[in-house]
Amino acid sequence: NYYGYRQVALVNDTSYTAKDSLDTTMSYIIVAVNQDARPRDDTDWQPILVHRSVLPTAGTISAVADTSGAIITLEGFKNQTGIIIYRYVETDTLTPVFTDTTVDTVYTDTILNNSFYVYRARALNELGLSSFTAYSAQIQRIPVGKTDMIDASKGTDSGVVAINWDSVKTAQTYLILRANISDIAYDSSFKKVDSTSKTFYVDSVTSDSVYVYRIKAVGPAGQGAMSDVQSAGFRLQASVPDSVTNFYASNNNGYGYVELYWYASATGGTPTEFVIERTEDTTLAFTAIDSVSYDPLKGTYDYSNDYSGTLTSPEGYYYRIIAKNPTGESVPSVVMFGTK
């Protein structure tokens, strides 16, 4: 036993036929010996590498999807030192966009939500490559992608809310979840939209209700996550809004602008916007400088006014807020003086 090599023969001739199996790669050395059966020195022998005598044989490949991607299982491959996995996106092209060499029998591939994938493989060793396996079944990742956007129309006076969202490629249906703004508990069985080409729904609402909506896409692999954006939809009451409450303007806050805060009134018609007005002197007319859209998900409204110009001392403005909807506008809020 020289340096881990096992003696297979002791011969006086200059040729020898090996009887060993070649299921694995082997190497041989020839050691020159004297009468004491010892190597004369290390320079008297060199390894001789002998390769396998057969090409590798391809087995089978299967692929299933889970939340992390594609789980690929390889079985029945023989005489290989590695396996090359090929990935194809969409079965009508069958152009490989990915290859990876593995010696494992299970491989995880990271794939996208909105595409279909198939796989095949071939084995390799020192002599070359095997034939291809058959294609795996077509798969898609779990879960199907969630919708990117949802928008519900606001301020309609027709008693309906129109909900729109972005489509998901692998969706078969969409689930609409609705909750009343006064109790954010989503009804997951509110509505199912069966057409994958239809990405809108019209919901009938009463005049005193405000709802928020979310969407789930549903495909062969299961339900996707809920849409990130909550959008509110409501029907206008047939009356003008009441004045805003708790209006406040900051004085000398040190930030270089005036901060305005207010609350929408809980009574009166639903506003669609709040108009910010100001004047240098209360004996002069107020001028609208901006507006803020109504959002039923919002509690406190805030607005920053970075005014400029030469003013009388003390330098500042008088501010007020008016709530508006298509029916009309509220009585102006109390007047507050604000300075930088």
Side-chain angles (χ1 to χ4, degrees):
N1 189 351
Y2 301 108
Y3 295 88
Y5 284 87
R6 175 176 58 86
Q7 179 177 314
V8 294
L10 179 62
V11 298
N12 294 321
D13 297 330
T14 57
S15 64
Y16 172 71
T17 301
K19 303 297 184 182
D20 284 354
S21 168
L22 289 180
D23 286 341
T24 58
T25 298
M26 293 184 178
S27 60
Y28 295 81
I29 59 172
I30 300 173
V31 180
V33 299
N34 58 23
Q35 292 179 353
D36 296 326
R38 300 286 183 183
R40 290 201 297 268
D41 59 65
D42 291 346
T43 62
D44 288 335
W45 56 275
Q46 294 293 330
I48 301 172
L49 184 64
V50 178
H51 294 288
R52 295 173 224 274
S53 59
V54 293
L55 285 167
T57 303
T60 60
I61 186 171
S62 60
V64 295
D66 72 357
T67 54
S68 62
I71 307 301
I72 301 164
T73 302
L74 305 160
E75 296 179 309
F77 289 77
K78 295 180 180 179
N79 300 315
Q80 79 276 6
T81 56
I83 300 172
I84 303 177
I85 301 170
Y86 298 80
R87 180 179 70 194
Y88 302 82
V89 180
E90 307 293 354
T91 54
D92 58 340
T93 60
L94 294 182
T95 301
V97 295
F98 157 93
T99 59
D100 192 72
T101 303
T102 179
V103 293
D104 300 324
T105 56
V106 178
Y107 179 82
T108 300
D109 180 27
T110 302
I111 57 178
L112 302 175
N113 283 339
N114 292 346
S115 294
F116 295 100
Y117 297 87
V118 292
Y119 296 85
R120 62 177 179 172
R122 61 199 310 191
L124 76 158
N125 67 16
E126 299 89 347
L127 294 184
L129 293 167
S130 72
S131 59
F132 279 102
T133 63
Y135 288 105
S136 72
Q138 178 178 275
I139 63 168
Q140 66 184 62
R141 181 176 172 180
I142 298 174
V144 291
K146 61 187 176 184
T147 54
D148 295 323
M149 179 275 292
I150 173 175
D151 180 65
S153 64
K154 303 175 177 65
T156 175
D157 59 1
S158 60
V160 297
V161 173
I163 306 160
N164 298 273
W165 61 90
D166 289 343
S167 63
V168 174
K169 183 175 181 180
T170 55
Q172 293 176 320
T173 60
Y174 296 98
L175 293 179
I176 303 174
L177 291 72
R178 187 181 78 172
N180 195 294
I181 191 66
S182 62
D183 179 19
I184 304 297
Y186 285 95
D187 178 5
S188 59
S189 60
F190 168 65
K191 179 65 179 178
K192 182 173 74 171
V193 178
D194 292 321
S195 173
T196 57
S197 62
K198 182 180 178 182
T199 56
F200 68 93
Y201 174 72
V202 178
D203 182 25
S204 297
V205 296
T206 58
S207 61
D208 58 350
S209 297
V210 178
Y211 294 101
V212 287
Y213 301 86
R214 301 183 82 173
I215 305 292
K216 275 186 178 182
V218 183
Q223 292 187 9
M226 285 198 296
S227 58
D228 287 329
V229 180
Q230 303 182 78
S231 288
F234 51 89
R235 180 187 177 189
L236 278 175
Q237 295 176 327
S239 58
V240 298
D242 285 345
S243 298
V244 302
T245 61
N246 299 87
F247 179 46
Y248 165 81
S250 66
N251 286 271
N252 301 313
N253 60 13
Y255 296 124
Y257 53 82
V258 177
E259 296 173 289
L260 307 178
Y261 300 95
W262 68 91
Y263 287 90
S265 175
T267 60
T270 303
T272 55
E273 64 175 339
F274 303 98
V275 179
I276 299 102
E277 296 184 339
R278 75 181 184 190
T279 184
E280 183 180 341
D281 189 326
T282 54
T283 62
L284 303 175
F286 279 84
T287 301
I289 59 172
D290 208 347
S291 64
V292 176
S293 297
Y294 172 65
D295 184 349
L297 296 176
K298 204 168 188 177
T300 304
Y301 286 84
D302 58 271
Y303 179 83
S304 300
N305 179 218
D306 182 13
Y307 60 78
S308 60
T310 302
L311 301 171
T312 58
S313 183
E315 187 171 318
Y317 280 103
Y318 294 92
Y319 294 88
R320 70 183 187 183
I321 307 294
I322 296 176
K324 298 180 67 176
N325 68 17
T327 305
E329 60 184 45
S330 71
V331 174
S333 69
V334 297
V335 176
M336 300 295 296
F337 183 73
T339 63
K340 293 184 181 180

